[in-house]
């Protein structure tokens, strides 16, 4: 990939091969940003996983940086008022299933009550591609609608390892204080290690790096248990 002049210039301001402690790495990410907009800070955590292993869960970052999420709740008519009162942007059954089938995706996250999953499951081709399919593992298939919406509005975020065993996730904005970004990365690493498969081999967290949307990556010195 050919990078622009500003990106190449940023590479001269630090050692791209060095591992920095987390606080220093996050400071560097802020210093290396060059875009005019408020870039997102991303973390990339490379895990040692076998083909049969995966890591997936949700967390609420201690320091929020995203706007409030629009929540769609798939539920029967008798629970629509409950969902809307809890803060859902939309709630219903057949009406919204048909809208989504038609390509409507004006929401950030979908929640479904268990009795709706037989019908919602048919939306897999649409919701699955966008990472919006309700899933019990992430707390988005639940009978406790109010609690799910409350957590999502507080910023509950899903993380999952891709096929290469890497977790890619936004952890802040470059406009945030460094210590707040550091807290968010620490919270992420703690949750990832908590979800470590019982039969995972040693050296579970292989590498950690952080970068801004447009900026270069900075390696983080990390040892499990820190």
């Amino acid at each position: 990939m050919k990078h622009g002049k500003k990106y190449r210039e940023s590479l001269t301001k630090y050692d791209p091969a060095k591992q920095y402690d987390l606080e220093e790495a996050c400071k560097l990410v802020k210093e290396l940003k060059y875009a005019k907009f408020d870039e997102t800070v991303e973390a990339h955590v490379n895990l040692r996983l076998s083909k049969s292993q995966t890591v997936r869960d949700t967390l609420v970052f201690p320091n929020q940086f995203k706007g409030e999420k629009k929540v769609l709740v798939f539920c029967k008519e008798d629970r629509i008022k409950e969902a809307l009162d809890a803060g859902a942007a939309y709630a219903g059954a057949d009406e919204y299933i048909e809208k989504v089938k038609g390509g409507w995706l004006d929401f950030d996250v979908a929640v479904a009550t268990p009795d709706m999953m037989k019908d919602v499951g048919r939306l897999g081709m649409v919701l699955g591609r966008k990472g919006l399919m309700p899933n019990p593992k992430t707390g988005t298939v639940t009978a406790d609608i109010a609690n799910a919406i409350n957590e999502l509005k507080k910023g509950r975020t899903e993380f999952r390892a891709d096929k290469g065993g890497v977790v890619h996730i936004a952890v802040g904005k470059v406009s945030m204080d460094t210590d707040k970004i550091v807290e968010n990365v620490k919270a992420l690493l703690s949750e990832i290690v908590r979800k470590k498969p019982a039969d995972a081999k040693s050296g579970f967290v292989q590498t950690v790096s952080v970068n801004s949307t447009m900026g270069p990556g900075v390696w983080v010195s990390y040892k499990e248990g820190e």
Side-chain angles (χ1 to χ4, degrees), residues 5-16:
K5 182 181 177 182
K6 290 182 179 179
Y7 182 96
R8 295 195 303 272
E9 283 178 357
S10 67
L11 290 174
T12 66
K13 298 177 181 178
Y14 78 117
D15 183 351

Side-chain angles (χ1 to χ4, degrees), residues 74-92:
F74 291 106
C75 62
K76 296 289 175 67
E77 188 175 349
D78 61 343
R79 302 202 66 182
I80 290 176
K81 184 178 185 301
E82 177 188 350
L84 295 176
D85 287 348
Y90 315 101

Side-chain angles (χ1 to χ4, degrees), residues 144-161:
D144 191 350
I145 295 173
N147 184 59
I149 294 170
N150 182 48
E151 290 243 321
L152 288 165
K153 282 183 161 290
K154 282 196 300 186
R156 190 174 75 193
T157 304
E158 180 182 359
F159 65 86
R160 65 187 301 178

Side-chain angles (χ1 to χ4, degrees), residues 37-152:
F37 62 91
D38 187 12
E39 295 182 55
T40 296
V41 179
E42 304 166 359
H44 308 274
V45 186
N46 187 7
L47 305 175
R48 189 176 186 187
L49 295 169
S50 69
K51 288 184 179 179
S52 63
Q53 294 171 333
T54 189
V55 167
R56 178 180 186 178
D57 207 338
T58 62
L59 80 157
V60 176
F61 285 115
N63 303 291
Q64 293 307 307
F65 54 93
K66 297 179 180 179
E68 192 170 280
K69 292 180 178 178
K70 271 189 199 173
V71 181
L72 163 63
V73 177
F74 291 106
C75 62
K76 296 289 175 67
E77 188 175 349
D78 61 343
R79 302 202 66 182
I80 290 176
K81 184 178 185 301
E82 177 188 350
L84 295 176
D85 287 348
Y90 315 101
D94 295 344
E95 173 193 354
Y96 286 103
I97 287 171
E98 290 306 313
K99 286 183 75 167
V100 171
K101 276 183 184 176
W104 176 80
L105 292 169
D106 185 27
F107 53 94
D108 302 303
V109 60
V111 173
T113 54
D115 58 351
M116 286 297 301
M117 282 309 294
K118 181 179 179 182
D119 296 316
V120 174
R122 296 170 186 158
L123 301 175
M125 289 295 289
V126 181
L127 295 179
R129 281 200 302 265
K130 298 290 185 179
L132 293 169
M133 176 59 78
N135 189 307
K137 291 182 179 178
T138 59
T140 48
V141 176
T142 177
D144 191 350
I145 295 173
N147 184 59
I149 294 170
N150 182 48
E151 290 243 321
L152 288 165

Side-chain angles (χ1 to χ4, degrees), residues 176-192:
M176 290 170 64
D177 292 341
T178 300
D179 61 344
K180 290 185 177 180
I181 300 172
V182 169
E183 279 185 334
N184 282 357
V185 177
K186 284 183 176 178
L188 170 67
L189 292 170
S190 175
E191 286 301 301
I192 287 175

